Amino acid sequence: MKTKRGLIKFILFSLITFGIYPIVVYSLISEEINVTATPHDGKHTMHYCWIFFILSWLTLGIATLVWWHRICNRIGNELSHRNLQYSFSAADFWLWGILGSLIVIGPFVFIHKLMKAMNFINADWNRGNK
């Protein structure tokens, strides 16, 4: 699994692809967390494309907020389960991703933390520490 995701690459490819790259990255993250976490927590995260293309507009964006809250908590729980020393949870989504929008750089901090957390989980998975 990928372990070299970063904020600069994310921003550049988002601009070059006119917003398609974030959809691909978030879809991969939803698949990767299912592969790494489902064997021990028994949960399943809905694929991001379902949220983005169908449920988001049907629920006026509420499904998207719920999805982000749940996946961020699941990523944080997976970090704890793997004894990885990095703090990430739904609080990061709400504080940096939503409230941080008021200071403009908040969502970028959130994306950086998300990419870093998934890089740690994927690196641990690649080492065979399932």
Side-chain angles (χ1 to χ4, degrees):
M1 289 199 232
K2 296 183 180 200
T3 59
K4 302 229 185 237
R5 290 190 178 117
L7 181 62
I8 302 298
K9 178 181 172 184
F10 183 86
I11 292 170
L12 290 176
F13 282 141
S14 295
L15 293 172
I16 292 170
T17 63
F18 300 106
I20 295 171
Y21 185 72
I23 297 169
V24 172
V25 170
Y26 299 150
S27 295
L28 288 173
I29 287 173
S30 66
E31 292 172 5
E32 290 167 358
I33 197 66
N34 283 332
V35 169
T36 58
T38 298
H40 60 82
D41 72 5
K43 296 178 183 176
H44 180 78
T45 297
M46 187 180 292
H47 197 277
Y48 182 73
C49 286
W50 282 103
I51 296 295
F52 185 80
F53 291 113
I54 298 172
L55 294 178
S56 177
W57 65 273
L58 283 175
T59 63
L60 303 176
I62 294 171
T64 306
L65 296 174
V66 170
W67 185 87
W68 275 110
H69 178 88
R70 287 183 176 177
I71 196 167
C72 289
N73 268 341
R74 194 163 184 215
I75 290 168
N77 292 339
E78 186 64 14
L79 288 165
S80 296
H81 174 77
R82 293 178 177 276
N83 294 319
L84 299 171
Q85 300 300 313
Y86 189 71
S87 176
F88 188 79
S89 69
D92 291 302
F93 167 67
W94 291 107
L95 294 175
W96 286 114
I98 301 298
L99 198 58
S101 298
L102 298 173
I103 58 170
V104 180
I105 64 163
F108 297 109
V109 173
F110 168 70
I111 292 168
H112 170 73
K113 289 179 68 74
L114 172 68
M115 298 297 169
K116 194 169 181 179
M118 285 308 297
N119 285 343
F120 285 142
I121 291 170
N122 289 349
D124 191 61
W125 173 266
N126 291 342
R127 282 193 297 271
N129 296 328
K130 302 175 188 175

